[in-house]
Amino acid sequence: VAHVVGVALPDATSPTQQDGRPDATNNFTRLNELADLGGAALPGPTRFHAAADEAALTAALAAIVRAQLSCTVPLDPPPAHPELFGVAVAGVDYGETRVVDCGVEDGWRFVDAATIELCGQACRDFQAEGSLDADYDCPPDPCG
């Protein structure tokens, strides 16, 4: 996967003149094509990370890093009562209900006693936000 970032790039075709630059080329269009080929194209008409200034470049690079977050998350410590463990991502409470098919459901599931996998929208939101809330509940008496 290749992420494409353009910095202060106009959406204009270059003139045909002898100046050492590509003739009749729209670099904006070329970067859209590269983003498509790289497999990490953004939705919309601008499919690469377009950064007009330093703040936008910083935001684009942060988004690229977050997109690399694995949706398989280790739990430290593992829950003592996994049946009461719950997850929320980006303000969406998925609670204690685990998904059966990660390929078509939104939410989470245990991979093993110390690891969860975020599925569907929960995974996408985790990659966008970079954080989740884990709820380590336990039965009333044994928690003491």
Side-chain angles (χ1 to χ4, degrees):
V1 174
H3 295 269
V4 179
V5 179
V7 179
L9 186 67
D11 186 1
T13 302
S14 62
T16 302
Q17 61 187 30
Q18 199 164 10
D19 61 0
R21 296 181 182 157
D23 291 338
T25 300
N26 184 323
N27 290 326
F28 194 92
T29 301
R30 293 286 184 224
L31 289 185
N32 270 337
E33 292 169 0
L34 285 173
D36 290 338
L37 292 171
L42 301 174
T46 304
R47 295 182 306 280
F48 62 93
H49 295 272
D53 55 29
E54 182 179 349
L57 177 59
T58 300
L61 294 175
I64 291 168
V65 169
R66 282 192 311 271
Q68 302 312 304
L69 286 174
S70 172
C71 287
T72 302
V73 181
L75 302 173
D76 186 21
H81 300 278
E83 71 281 4
L84 299 175
F85 180 81
V87 174
V89 182
V92 177
D93 186 1
Y94 293 99
E96 298 166 359
T97 305
R98 292 153 193 79
V99 301
V100 175
D101 185 350
C102 208
V104 297
E105 295 179 85
D106 298 329
W108 67 278
R109 65 182 177 186
F110 279 106
V111 173
D112 57 42
T115 311
I116 62 169
E117 178 181 14
L118 299 171
C119 306
Q121 192 62 47
C123 175
R124 289 187 293 278
D125 287 344
F126 176 67
Q127 290 176 323
E129 299 272 329
S131 65
L132 63 83
D133 293 313
D135 187 15
Y136 285 77
D137 280 341
C138 57
D141 292 336
C143 286

